Amino acid sequence: MRTPLKAAAHTLTALALAALGTTALATGAEAQPVPAAAHFGTKALHPGAAQRPTATTNNTLSVRSSATQGVVSPTPKVYLVFWGSQWSSDPAGVAADMQNMFKGLYGSQDTWGTILDQYCEGVAKGTTNCGTKGVHVQHPATTPLAGVWFDNSAAAPASATSTQLGAEAGKAAAHFGNTTQAPNLNAQYVVLSPTGTHPDGFPNSGFCAWHDKTSSSYGTLAYTNMPYIPDLGAGACTTFTDGRMLSGIESTETHEYAETVTDFWPSIGWNGGGGEIGDECQNLDAYVTLSTGTFDLQGLWSNSANKCVTHG
């Protein structure tokens, strides 16, 4: 859903409960919101800045279009695009971590991803419960990671614009051979910028990341602007305060992944009183153990549970 961003405070702090085991939960303290530019699917820089009630029908998601394309991504495919020659330096180990996280987001061990399969497309506008109708999001039986590209032909811009980010998604579609609309009805291109860069004004624009759509020669593309969040230090973009450097980017990317799956071409997909499926639940993180490791997955809004949850 198109919502105003929350601006960053100068000190990156968040209050949270300590993680206990592999399913520990945490909540964040509120930061002072300041109006800024708007984007789709934005995760605010401070997790408490968009804190929502944990259970209220005001947050119920409803589908905003009866379309049969672009509402959800029925069979999600993730393409990780590590943009720029600067990826020769990756001090936090983001590249390996993002690949491992998506390699594990499937099958019976991924109970987080099963939250998404209640949502669908091809049903009447305003629907809040798909039941057996429409085309549902399918829980992946194998990894949703469909491709990885280190685009090191040139340096990524120091401060890429949203237009440049969208153009990089188009280059990625060509690189992966997705040159018609059909494969791009499920492809999401995660454009990861390298350490030391400031895509779309990050972090001064007040966001951790955002997702959107762009027109291309290959149809409409879904893509994510994913900055190098560890540059902000431990505790940024997560509610955990245990000092783990990769938690923030994991929490943020799962926020954006889920929102892309359920609002593929924003904002004709699933939205509610608090925004998209991840916007509703920025005050909830969980450490979840997958076959490839333990990762910080952000909570998502479940219509069937009528609250933010970390498992289906």
Side-chain angles (χ1 to χ4, degrees), residues 11-16 27-29 43-48 208 229-249 251-252 282 285 287 296:
T11 305
L12 296 170
T13 57
L15 300 177
T27 57
K43 179 169 182 176
L45 189 61
H46 286 264
C208 299
I229 290 172
D231 279 351
L232 303 182
C237 303
T238 179
T239 56
F240 286 124
T241 58
D242 55 9
R244 184 171 175 271
M245 289 295 293
L246 290 167
S247 293
I249 196 166
S251 176
T252 300
Q282 292 184 48
D285 285 281
Y287 280 127
D296 177 355

Side-chain angles (χ1 to χ4, degrees), residues 117-171:
D117 58 18
Q118 65 187 281
Y119 301 107
C120 68
E121 64 186 10
V123 293
K125 180 179 178 180
T127 295
T128 59
N129 182 354
C130 292
T132 59
K133 297 179 180 179
V135 177
H136 284 245
V137 175
Q138 299 176 31
H139 183 59
T142 59
T143 174
L145 183 60
V148 178
W149 181 33
F150 285 84
D151 181 10
N152 56 12
S153 58
S159 300
T161 64
S162 57
T163 299
Q164 289 173 313
L165 289 157
E168 182 65 9
K171 286 178 62 179

Side-chain angles (χ1 to χ4, degrees), residues 198-270:
H198 309 280
D200 198 37
F202 170 86
N204 293 334
S205 296
F207 61 79
C208 299
W210 48 258
H211 76 98
D212 212 328
K213 63 181 178 181
T214 187
S215 297
S216 78
S217 300
Y218 319 122
T220 303
L221 307 180
Y223 75 103
T224 295
N225 169 24
M226 178 55 61
Y228 199 91
I229 290 172
D231 279 351
L232 303 182
C237 303
T238 179
T239 56
F240 286 124
T241 58
D242 55 9
R244 184 171 175 271
M245 289 295 293
L246 290 167
S247 293
I249 196 166
E250 292 166 0
S251 176
T252 300
E253 176 47 34
T254 50
H255 170 112
E256 301 301 338
Y257 167 75
E259 289 190 338
T260 304
V261 170
T262 56
D263 192 12
F264 195 61
W265 294 341
S267 53
I268 66 171
W270 293 79

